[in-house]
Structures are given as structure tokens and as C-alpha cells.
Amino acid sequence: MTDVKAERIYSLDCTRAICMLWIVALWHMESYLDITIKCYITDDICSGVLAAFTFISGYFLGKKPVGNVKELLTFYKKRILRFYPLFFVSCMIFYLFLKLYKAAFITGKSQLILTLTGLSCIFTPEPKTIWYISMLILFYAVTPLICCKKSIVYRSSVSAGLIALLLLLKLVLIPQMSWKLLLYFPTYCIGIILSDKTKLFEKPSAALPVIGVLLGGGAILLQTLFAVYDNYFLTIIVSWGIGCLLIFIGILCSMAEIIRKPLSVLSYAAMTAYLFHRQYFYFIYRKTDIMNPWTIYFVFLPLFFILCFFIQKGYDGLLKLITERIRSRSAE
């Protein structure tokens, strides 16, 4: 469902929120509670969650015009301002935690620099958690090359060429490069290629859940039967299948206002929540002895989401204020 005024697609907002909840409220809680949820099936779900995140990012950026130098500079400026200052703060807190608590989310200066420059997935090992945003920096860097023309043939050809280049780097030049680049970059490119297909996400489509069930369920069954957990092609099929299911669930959630509204709010705070949830819960874990399911899910987690919402709101307000002042000075 599309909100024309705000230029939002509620179904993808809902999907983004659901994916964020999986990562923040479930996947990483294993570090702070006496629970074990990680196995090859939940690993697959996590890959699907990140694939959905990546697809959504590519989908919206594929709508950005990048046809000349001015639009190119505008694209990079908006991308950098959109996430990089908060990303930088997140990385520096991780580095501070290394110095204060020996917490190895980021293991040293070299890894910090590689993370901040988006190179940590090429020159591994990559840091914990924040590797995903660092990887997106690389994706953003090449996005204008894919988006400079709207032709699906052109975008598909350039995407295929870049994927082939990544494969060459991995197999020949930089064997230590993370396979995650080859797992998620095709998903990002598919998002860009489908960026003008808004109607796909406005109502439940019979094809979407069928594709999701066939790809996701079939691939998980193959993994179960043959235990080929590290097979790249199988993993990418699994991630795409689960990603399809998550988008379908998002479409269903967007149709019910009572579900759509809170998920839209969570979606707005999703990036901030991803950037800072590890630091927030690790600090509480270090400084208190009251970390249990009751306090986490009924106290600390709701407070965290409220905090993230207002951090994002304040950051957006600050950017708007700075932009307006620059424009007013330019007009004088």
C-alpha cells in the first residue's frame, strides 16, 4: 500500500520493521540471555532477513535519478548525510568498548578504518554486526553506475558485470573477501531493477508467496537432507525465498491499520536501532544484573525503540535545519 503524500510503501515499511525486530529483538538477544536460537534454519532466516533489508534499500535507491554530474553529487551527498554520521558514531562507540571492556565488536584500528571506508567485507575479517552497514557503503558507491539509465536491460547488464567482477575478485585476486558481498549484492541489484514496479507491493500477489514457499521451503529441505550448509548457490536461493515470504508478510500487515501504524513507526527507527542496539544492550549487560526476558522485552527493548525514534527524529530535524540555512545563505 502506498502513501502518495509521503511517498512511502507501507508494505515495505512493515517488512523492514519485521526484519529489524528479528535482528534486534531475537537474533542478537542470545548474547544477553541464557538461550540458544542459532542453528542452520535460523541462520537461513537471518540471511533472508538481511536479503529483504538489502532488496528494500536497492529498490528505493533505484528510483533516484542519476543522469548527470549534478544528480550524481546530489545522490552521494544525500546518502552520506542519511546514514554516515550515525554510522560513524556507532563505530566509534564499538571502538571505545574495545578499549574500556575488551569487547571485540571492532578488534582494532585497522578494522575500524576498513569498516568506516566500506572495505571490511573485502579485507576481512569483518567486524560484528556493523559489517552490514559497511558493506552497504560499497553498494551505494556503485549505485549511480547502475542507475544512470532506467532501461532494465542496461541495469541488468551492468549488475551482471559487477557481480562477475566480485566473483573474479573472490576467486582470483582477493580470496579472503567475504562471500556476503556475493550473497547480498545480487539482491540489491534486483531491488534496483524492480524499482519502478510499485504495484508488486500494494496487494498480496499469488505468485509471491508461492515463489517464497518453493524457494525457501525447498532449499531448507535440501539443506536438511544433504547438510550442505556452506553452499553459496543454495544459500542465495534460501535467502531470496525467505525474503519473498517476508515481503509477502509485510504486504499482509500493511492491510491492517492496527498493525501497519506501529510497524511504520518501528520502520522509521530501524536504521538507528540496527546501528546502536549492540552497544545499548551490551552496556546494560555489563552494568546491571537484571537482564532477563521480562526486563528486556517489557522495559529495556521498548525504551530502546522509543529512544531510537527520537534520535532519528532529532537527526532528521537537524539535517533539515542545516539544509535550510545553507539554502537561505545561498539565496542571499
Side-chain angles (χ1 to χ4, degrees):
M1 297 180 70
T2 307
D3 181 350
V4 176
K5 183 178 179 181
E7 296 184 349
R8 302 200 68 88
I9 299 176
Y10 283 134
S11 60
L12 297 185
D13 277 351
C14 291
T15 301
R16 186 189 289 115
I18 291 167
C19 291
M20 182 271 287
L21 287 171
W22 169 268
I23 296 293
V24 173
L26 287 175
W27 187 247
H28 289 155
M29 282 303 166
E30 188 178 69
S31 301
Y32 315 111
L33 296 172
D34 188 20
I35 58 173
T36 301
I37 66 169
K38 291 186 178 181
C39 63
Y40 69 90
I41 292 178
T42 54
D43 280 341
D44 288 340
I45 294 174
C46 193
S47 295
V49 163
L50 293 179
F53 264 135
T54 310
F55 172 86
I56 292 171
S57 182
Y59 176 81
F60 283 114
L61 289 183
K63 297 178 180 294
K64 308 293 184 183
V66 193
N68 53 53
V69 174
K70 182 179 179 181
E71 289 176 345
L72 175 68
L73 295 176
T74 299
F75 174 87
Y76 284 133
K77 181 181 73 174
K78 287 186 175 180
R79 277 296 88 203
I80 291 171
L81 291 176
R82 177 72 181 89
F83 81 98
Y84 200 84
L86 292 175
F87 170 68
F88 180 84
V89 172
S90 175
C91 290
M92 296 311 297
I93 294 174
F94 277 137
Y95 188 68
L96 181 63
F97 278 11
L98 174 67
K99 297 300 181 181
L100 293 178
Y101 308 121
K102 307 299 182 184
F105 295 103
I106 287 178
T107 57
K109 287 183 180 179
S110 60
Q111 192 179 74
L112 174 64
I113 293 171
L114 290 172
T115 302
L116 289 171
T117 54
L119 299 175
S120 62
C121 286
I122 294 180
F123 303 103
T124 54
E126 62 263 62
K128 294 181 180 178
T129 304
I130 206 70
W131 66 265
Y132 179 75
I133 307 298
S134 181
M135 178 187 71
L136 286 182
I137 294 174
L138 285 180
F139 295 178
Y140 295 158
V142 300
T143 298
L145 181 62
I146 305 173
C147 292
C148 64
K149 294 183 180 180
K150 291 187 176 181
S151 165
I152 290 180
V153 174
Y154 172 82
R155 292 185 172 191
S156 300
S157 300
V158 174
S159 297
L162 290 172
I163 292 168
L165 177 61
L166 283 177
L167 188 61
L168 177 66
L169 288 175
K170 173 64 180 175
L171 296 179
V172 179
L173 300 176
I174 313 175
Q176 73 270 23
M177 188 181 83
S178 174
W179 275 108
K180 293 171 184 174
L181 286 169
L182 283 160
L183 176 60
Y184 296 114
F185 186 64
T187 311
Y188 183 79
C189 293
I190 291 172
I192 292 176
I193 293 166
L194 295 179
S195 61
D196 63 339
K197 307 297 182 182
T198 303
K199 291 185 178 180
L200 286 174
F201 311 107
E202 290 183 343
K203 59 183 180 180
S205 167
L208 197 59
V210 169
I211 291 171
V213 169
L214 290 177
L215 291 179
I220 289 175
L221 177 62
L222 285 173
Q223 284 195 332
T224 303
L225 293 176
F226 300 105
V228 283
Y229 308 138
D230 297 322
N231 184 283
Y232 164 70
F233 294 104
L234 193 58
T235 301
I236 201 169
I237 291 173
V238 170
S239 67
W240 286 356
I242 293 174
C244 285
L245 286 176
L246 289 167
I247 292 172
F248 178 67
I249 292 170
I251 294 172
L252 294 179
C253 290
S254 71
M255 299 178 70
E257 186 175 355
I258 193 172
I259 301 174
R260 182 180 72 236
K261 283 190 173 181
L263 287 181
S264 293
V265 173
L266 286 174
S267 176
Y268 176 73
M271 183 183 71
T272 307
Y274 188 90
L275 285 172
F276 295 106
H277 70 281
R278 280 290 205 180
Q279 300 93 322
Y280 175 84
F281 286 106
Y282 182 81
F283 184 78
I284 294 172
Y285 180 75
R286 289 279 309 193
K287 296 299 181 181
T288 72
D289 57 356
I290 56 173
M291 290 284 277
N292 59 66
W294 293 102
T295 58
I296 283 179
Y297 289 108
F298 290 98
V299 179
F300 295 129
L301 195 61
L303 286 175
F304 176 67
F305 288 143
I306 292 170
L307 180 63
C308 288
F309 177 85
F310 283 107
I311 288 174
Q312 190 65 59
K313 199 78 172 177
Y315 180 70
D316 289 345
L318 179 62
L319 285 183
K320 183 178 179 180
L321 179 63
I322 293 172
T323 302
E324 288 176 351
R325 288 189 175 182
I326 292 173
R327 286 176 179 173
S328 63
R329 288 181 180 178
S330 299
E332 291 177 355

